[in-house]
Amino acid sequence: MAEIPDSASRIIPINIEEEMKSSYIDYSMSVIVSRALPDVRDGLKPVQRRVLYGMQELGLAAGRAHKKSARIVGEVLGKYHPHGDQSVYDALVRMAQDFAVRGPLVDGQGNFGSVDGDSAAAMRYTEARLTRLAEELLRDLDKETVDYTPNFDGSLNEPSVLPAALPNLLMNGASGIAVGMATNIPPHNLGELVEGIVATIEDPEIELDALMEHIPAPDFPTGGVIFGVGGVREAYRTGRGRVVMRAKMHEEEIKRRGGDGVGREALVVTEIPYQVNKSTLIEKIAHAVRDKKIEGIADLRDESDRDGMRIVLELRRDAVVEVTKNQLFKYTQLQQTFGMNMIALVGGRPKTLGLKDMIRHYVDHRHEIVVRRTEFELRKAEERAHILEGLTLALDHLDAIIAIIRQSEDTDAAKVNLMRGVYPQRLTAEQKARLGLPEADPVAITGEREATGYAMTREDFTPQPWLSAAQAEAILALRLSRLTGLERDKIAAEYADILKEVERLQSILNSRDLRMQIIAEELREVAEKYADPRRTEIDIMGGGDIDLEDLIEDEHVVVTITHQGLVKRTSIDEYRAQHRGGTGHRGTGTRDEDFVEHLFTASAHDYLLFFTDHGQCYWLRVYNVPEGSRTAKGRSVRNLVRIDAEDRVRAVLAIKKEDFRDDAFLETHFVLMATKRGLVKKSALAAFKRPLVTGIIAIDIVDGDQLLEAKLTDGDTEVLLGSSGGRAIRFHESDVRSMGRKSRGVRGMKLPDGEQVVGMIAVQRDGAQVLTISENGYGKRSPVERLDDDGEPISNYTFRLQSRGGQGVIAHQTTSKTGALVALKSVLPDDQLMIATEAGIMIRMAVDAISEYGRNTQGVRVINLKNNDAIADVARVVIEDEEAPLSPAPDGETPAEAVPSPDPATPDAAEAAPEAG
């Protein structure tokens, strides 16, 4: 009985972790090298290379008839690509799509898909052939310019790379996902690439910026606009970067279908970003309009036809064109980012390459092609020269050659005899004499001239043996018609030309500069034949991503902040203008025990600097403030900026966008701050340009004090501080030196016990007046200064200039009827005011509706307060456009009269008293 072998002895124990690691690495490298990544030399993946080579083997040249795609796929599958037929057909289809590649390599006939995302027809319905560009990739393939490798079963050979007479990798780009890596290379313009490569050949050390003068950016087949080149430069430098693409659109006035013939503005999209599906794009635009992300579009339709793309976006009559454009760019694929990740195979290994590296590898490849092609052509030329030498020798000794051939037994013997240079022994003496041969037998005609009398005398021709096998065969194949004198001359002329060609080819092999010149010349020839104008425009001023400010109309808004820190912005048009004495209308919905504490107007694109009572500064854009109606409560400012729980906003500066980005403006303008205890401080605006998310220190606040106000000044401003007791002091800001952010400041006004500063004016406008309003609704305008006929200041109508630190003069006569002073503002007669009460009532009125009086008066009633309401804040409304006339005061209401001091003729007691400082 036979012994059963022990199967356990054939089991080899292995570490499963190491085996899985090794197997996965093998698999991943197979995917990387054999499927997903292109070769840096010809820019093709293996399947693409096999498709093109298979089409050439089928004879599908550009001038030949098309053949069924199924026939091509079968050829490639059966000979070179052992994978699914769909992968081969997909590769063929992509190379035929003029919206997918910049220079199609396959000339397709039939349905090869569309920019709408339609799939290509089945391979049995479509036909294809090579394009002229593809022939340039395959050119010189038959001249031993590249190495061949066995196919999948070893029965055939296929090229490992194509000669690539044009830079296909950069021209058509590439995309692919491998294992652990991916590539995404954008297409470029052929003419620009050739210029850049030639410039690199002429100056191998060329800088990237100089190279980008020739190759400024990718050139996508679908056109569009490249928005900014910063990401392009980074990608060209490192191999990774972003290209921001935008659709190309223009404005048109169109006639409405079935309407009254009145035109309406429309945006017409004629080019879309690369790799964007047009149908999907239109759907997303429609969804964005439906979701009110885009508000300016009234109608949307696709009018594309065979003449080109045309997507019509009909605008509403109140739409702002630029805002609608930016919303489209922000929320739809009319702006798309192309992530450049330029990875290609270099020597069979994946490598991230910059633009210069890609060009260098391509030039090295072309150099190798030129060398191998020249070596091949030199060998062929030398072989032909060798044949022509034999033919020339035969024609010079035609009788001897004929004698040798006639007396040979057969063709093989004739070939041997010609190679040996021996005539047969059976020649008679008479024949020998007629041929001029010696009588001795046998006679070899391989010696010198004296021995044979035959003219085999070329110095560069080795006389042993007399003829080579190739020469002998050429002589035997020589037609009798070539024995004529004219044909003999042609052979001699061809031989002379061949000798010159050999010399030229040898000079190429001996000179690298000459080879580089040939590469440049061939590239220029390709560009002259096939280059076309750039399709994608370049907007060098673009900044990449859309900033939110580009999506928001730059309109004037009212910003309100309540005592509890609720903030909102509201369109200024929502507030109805009224005469003084009106009851107003509710401007904000306040919570219990909350009231409006700050109210001001600003542009939606302005910058906001928030100053808190603890002296911190925070940074915010106006458009980041939530929008709400005039009755909305708003949103907590703590959700917008990181203010401490025990801190709250006391002052807000609105600074224009253009000014906040101007370094000269930042250095020559200052933030002037005042505290309730009368301290003032001045710091350069540049110190507040880059606040942290958690805020920065604006002023060092001592215990028991709070920041009251912050004003923007130009360094030559007069300052007016007002106290709750109705007094004010005027001094020049030069009295306050510029300080760092962490300092406390200096005394601006001396305050009696129980009083505090309620307002600060930076007197910067010609003709400005001082507006004072008390908590019970009394207000008036007073001039900063008024002179009499002799040019002397009128005491009751002038806030005289003093040094900082004094008690000041009376600005508003305060009584129990008027209440304490709550606001001190700088106004012009053409200004308008927004007044808010603690109960949330707002009224908008013209400044010239408030009477002008001297300092020592109580003023007039500017708003009728109800239910013990009190004024909380007053803001000047900035009006740039002409507005409708103010509405009249409600019936039955009479404006309050001015209430003068008990004895206006009596000198102001405050002025008579000595002033400190």
Side-chain angles (χ1 to χ4, degrees):
M1 183 174 181
E3 183 177 351
I4 300 176
D6 186 6
S7 60
S9 62
R10 294 178 297 172
I11 297 176
I12 303 175
I14 60 172
N15 187 312
I16 188 170
E17 180 180 353
E18 294 298 327
E19 180 66 20
M20 292 181 67
K21 184 186 298 182
S22 175
S23 299
Y24 188 76
I25 290 176
D26 292 342
Y27 163 72
S28 62
M29 287 305 299
S30 174
V31 172
I32 290 170
V33 175
S34 302
R35 296 189 189 182
L37 299 185
D39 194 292
V40 71
R41 297 169 292 178
D42 62 4
L44 297 172
K45 300 176 186 179
V47 63
Q48 296 171 325
R49 189 178 302 114
R50 288 163 178 167
V51 168
L52 296 180
Y53 181 65
M55 293 177 71
Q56 185 191 52
E57 292 294 289
L58 284 173
L60 297 179
R64 304 281 185 87
H66 294 77
K67 278 193 177 180
K68 285 288 187 182
S69 298
R71 175 71 177 86
I72 299 170
V73 171
E75 175 81 4
V76 175
L77 279 181
K79 291 184 176 181
Y80 310 114
H81 197 69
H83 301 286
D85 59 347
Q86 195 59 43
S87 64
V88 177
Y89 187 52
D90 288 345
L92 184 147
V93 166
R94 187 180 187 279
M95 290 190 290
Q97 293 174 333
D98 58 0
F99 56 86
V101 291
R102 189 62 178 80
L105 303 178
V106 173
D107 179 14
Q109 186 168 277
N111 176 17
F112 277 82
S114 72
V115 73
D116 284 317
D118 301 322
S119 300
M123 68 181 76
R124 62 182 178 274
Y125 298 120
T126 61
E127 297 178 342
R129 65 181 177 187
L130 295 172
T131 64
R132 299 290 182 187
L133 285 173
E135 290 181 345
E136 294 294 336
L137 287 178
L138 295 158
R139 192 176 73 187
D140 299 329
L141 191 60
D142 57 346
K143 295 183 179 180
E144 300 178 2
T145 51
V146 298
D147 294 331
Y148 279 71
T149 58
N151 68 340
F152 58 88
D153 61 0
S155 61
L156 296 170
N157 290 324
E158 60 177 311
S160 59
V161 68
L162 298 186
L166 51 84
N168 179 63
L169 180 59
L170 286 169
M171 181 185 73
N172 281 329
S175 62
I177 300 175
V179 178
M181 65 182 65
T183 186
N184 204 27
I185 303 172
H188 292 76
N189 182 271
L190 177 59
E192 294 175 351
L193 287 175
V194 169
E195 290 180 4
I197 295 172
V198 170
T200 304
I201 291 174
E202 295 174 350
D203 179 13
E205 302 300 324
I206 187 172
E207 296 293 334
L208 178 61
D209 288 340
L211 183 59
M212 288 185 65
E213 293 180 2
H214 303 284
I215 310 174
D219 186 23
F220 299 105
T222 54
V225 179
I226 291 177
F227 190 60
V229 295
V232 175
R233 181 179 289 104
E234 181 67 16
Y236 284 170
R237 185 179 66 86
T238 65
R240 298 176 184 271
R242 300 191 314 157
V243 181
V244 179
M245 306 174 293
R246 281 185 168 184
K248 186 181 294 185
M249 66 175 70
H250 64 272
E251 299 174 31
E252 278 189 18
E253 184 176 348
I254 61 175
K255 302 295 184 181
R256 298 196 64 187
R257 298 179 180 178
D260 54 5
V262 179
R264 174 170 287 190
E265 288 293 318
L267 294 175
V268 179
V269 179
T270 55
E271 296 175 4
I272 61 176
Y274 182 53
Q275 294 178 334
V276 170
N277 185 309
K278 178 163 67 70
S279 297
T280 304
L281 169 66
I282 294 173
E283 291 179 6
K284 289 187 176 181
I285 294 175
H287 290 162
V289 172
R290 182 192 62 192
D291 297 340
K292 298 192 181 301
K293 293 181 178 179
I294 303 173
E295 299 180 346
I297 296 178
D299 192 18
L300 167 65
R301 55 185 177 272
D302 185 5
E303 298 181 357
S304 304
D305 55 22
R306 66 179 62 189
D307 295 327
M309 184 180 299
R310 181 179 170 87
I311 303 173
V312 179
L313 307 170
E314 191 172 325
L315 301 179
R316 295 179 179 175
R317 297 194 180 279
D318 60 346
V320 180
V321 176
E322 290 302 319
V323 171
T324 304
K325 280 184 181 180
N326 289 322
Q327 289 175 340
L328 287 167
F329 291 143
K330 180 71 175 179
Y331 297 116
T332 73
Q333 289 178 304
L334 288 179
Q335 175 170 310
Q336 189 79 347
T337 299
F338 185 96
M340 294 176 64
N341 188 22
M342 301 198 293
I343 297 179
L345 295 177
V346 180
R349 294 187 176 184
K351 189 174 181 180
T352 302
L353 304 169
L355 180 62
K356 291 178 62 177
D357 294 330
M358 284 190 166
I359 291 177
R360 178 173 55 83
H361 286 298
Y362 174 73
V363 172
D364 290 343
H365 174 59
R366 286 303 299 169
H367 180 264
E368 181 182 356
I369 296 298
V370 170
V371 169
R372 296 181 64 164
R373 181 185 66 193
T374 305
E375 290 174 345
F376 175 83
E377 291 176 347
L378 177 60
R379 186 173 70 252
K380 293 297 183 181
E382 289 177 340
E383 291 174 356
R384 181 59 180 167
H386 183 63
I387 296 298
L388 292 175
E389 286 174 349
L391 294 178
T392 302
L393 184 62
L395 294 174
D396 289 343
H397 305 282
L398 187 56
D399 290 342
I401 294 297
I402 293 174
I404 292 174
I405 295 174
R406 288 183 63 184
Q407 298 300 322
S408 299
E409 295 179 357
D410 53 25
T411 302
D412 292 338
K415 177 180 177 181
V416 172
N417 288 334
L418 287 173
M419 292 173 62
R420 294 172 58 191
V422 177
Y423 55 85
Q425 294 182 9
R426 58 178 176 271
L427 289 177
T428 64
E430 182 181 356
Q431 290 173 327
K432 293 177 182 180
R434 188 168 62 250
L435 295 173
L437 297 176
E439 295 183 2
D441 285 332
V443 177
I445 53 175
T446 60
E448 291 82 358
R449 182 194 303 267
E450 302 83 50
T452 63
Y454 292 105
M456 195 184 70
T457 61
R458 290 186 183 85
E459 295 177 356
D460 59 344
F461 185 72
T462 303
Q464 295 290 345
W466 190 43
L467 295 173
S468 68
Q471 289 174 324
E473 290 178 353
I475 291 172
L476 290 173
L478 190 67
R479 296 176 61 182
L480 292 177
S481 63
R482 303 208 66 180
L483 301 180
T484 63
L486 183 59
E487 290 296 324
R488 292 164 64 96
D489 293 340
K490 286 183 179 180
I491 291 175
E494 183 184 358
Y495 181 66
D497 292 340
I498 284 291
L499 291 181
K500 293 179 181 179
E501 179 67 8
V502 169
E503 183 178 357
R504 185 187 72 84
L505 295 172
Q506 288 175 340
S507 66
I508 292 174
L509 293 176
N510 294 331
S511 173
R512 178 179 177 86
D513 291 341
L514 187 55
R515 296 194 293 272
M516 288 298 178
Q517 182 180 346
I518 291 173
I519 295 173
E521 290 175 353
E522 291 180 349
L523 284 170
R524 289 193 182 101
E525 291 175 0
V526 169
E528 185 177 352
K529 290 180 181 178
Y530 307 110
D532 58 358
R534 165 175 279 276
R535 299 180 188 175
T536 304
E537 295 180 2
I538 303 173
D539 182 359
I540 61 174
M541 300 304 293
D545 290 340
I546 298 293
D547 197 302
L548 190 57
E549 72 180 42
D550 296 328
L551 308 180
I552 299 172
E553 184 179 359
D554 195 7
E555 62 178 351
H556 286 318
V557 295
V558 176
V559 179
T560 56
I561 304 174
T562 70
H563 180 73
Q564 293 185 356
L566 299 180
V567 60
K568 68 173 180 177
R569 60 182 169 92
T570 307
S571 174
I572 200 169
D573 295 332
E574 289 202 30
Y575 292 93
R576 177 169 53 88
Q578 296 180 342
H579 274 304
R580 68 173 178 84
T583 59
H585 56 268
R586 179 164 297 277
T588 187
T590 56
R591 299 176 179 177
D592 295 340
E593 300 181 357
D594 194 10
F595 59 89
V596 175
E597 191 170 20
H598 298 281
L599 179 148
F600 59 91
T601 62
S603 168
H605 287 188
D606 286 350
Y607 290 79
L608 298 182
L609 296 183
F610 286 84
F611 295 85
T612 67
D613 56 9
H614 289 180
Q616 292 290 110
C617 176
Y618 299 86
W619 192 85
L620 189 67
R621 302 297 293 274
V622 171
Y623 57 70
N624 284 328
V625 176
E627 186 174 10
S629 66
R630 64 174 184 263
T631 59
K633 291 182 173 61
R635 186 177 178 186
S636 175
V637 71
R638 302 182 188 279
N639 294 333
L640 306 177
V641 292
R642 299 181 184 179
I643 299 177
D644 292 340
E646 64 278 7
D647 206 358
R648 65 191 182 96
V649 175
R650 298 295 300 182
V652 183
L653 288 184
I655 302 174
K656 291 184 179 298
K657 174 182 66 175
E658 298 79 8
D659 294 339
F660 207 62
R661 297 175 180 177
D662 184 353
D663 291 337
F665 184 91
L666 295 174
E667 294 294 338
T668 57
H669 287 72
F670 303 88
V671 176
L672 187 66
M673 292 164 278
T675 71
K676 288 187 175 182
R677 286 192 172 184
L679 295 178
V680 291
K681 177 190 172 183
K682 183 174 70 173
S683 298
L685 182 59
F688 303 92
K689 184 177 180 181
R690 296 182 179 88
L692 302 176
V693 177
T694 54
I696 59 175
I697 296 175
I699 182 174
D700 186 14
I701 297 295
V702 299
D703 293 340
D705 197 6
Q706 291 181 345
L707 179 67
L708 171 70
E709 187 62 271
K711 297 289 185 181
L712 184 66
T713 68
D714 59 4
D716 189 25
T717 303
E718 293 179 356
V719 182
L720 197 67
L721 293 179
S723 70
S724 58
R727 303 178 67 83
I729 184 170
R730 174 187 172 196
F731 60 89
H732 198 278
E733 73 166 299
S734 60
D735 288 353
V736 184
R737 62 180 177 86
S738 181
M739 308 175 190
R741 290 188 293 102
K742 296 184 179 180
S743 60
R744 294 183 179 180
V746 294
R747 176 182 290 182
M749 184 176 188
K750 187 176 182 180
L751 299 172
D753 292 341
E755 291 189 15
Q756 62 184 18
V757 174
V758 296
M760 178 178 69
I761 293 176
V763 184
Q764 295 172 305
R765 301 183 298 165
D766 293 338
Q769 296 175 306
V770 179
L771 173 72
T772 54
I773 296 181
S774 66
E775 62 181 345
N776 291 338
Y778 288 82
K780 63 183 174 70
R781 288 182 291 143
S782 301
V784 176
E785 184 177 62
R786 179 173 293 175
L787 306 179
D788 59 18
D789 295 338
D790 296 329
E792 295 295 327
I794 301 175
S795 176
N796 196 39
Y797 289 89
T798 297
F799 295 87
R800 63 186 178 87
L801 192 63
Q802 299 176 290
S803 298
R804 66 170 180 83
Q807 293 182 352
V809 298
I810 291 179
H812 192 109
Q813 187 69 254
T814 57
T815 64
S816 59
K817 180 180 180 180
T818 63
L821 196 65
V822 296
L824 182 139
K825 302 289 181 182
S826 174
V827 295
L828 290 173
D830 293 336
D831 288 343
Q832 292 191 15
L833 296 176
M834 193 75 72
I835 301 176
T837 72
E838 294 180 355
I841 302 299
M842 292 187 180
I843 185 171
R844 181 178 175 187
M845 65 175 58
V847 166
D848 59 6
I850 301 176
S851 301
E852 178 182 341
Y853 292 98
R855 294 184 292 101
N856 194 12
T857 59
Q858 297 179 3
V860 298
R861 185 180 299 278
V862 296
I863 184 172
N864 291 328
L865 301 175
K866 297 180 179 180
N867 301 325
N868 297 322
D869 198 2
I871 293 178
D873 205 353
V874 180
R876 182 176 59 88
V877 179
V878 180
I879 302 298
E880 294 183 355
D881 299 326
E882 185 177 354
E883 291 194 35
L886 301 179
S887 59
D891 294 339
E893 292 194 65
T894 303
E897 296 295 333
V899 183
S901 60
D903 187 2
T906 304
D908 192 337
E911 292 178 349
E915 298 176 359

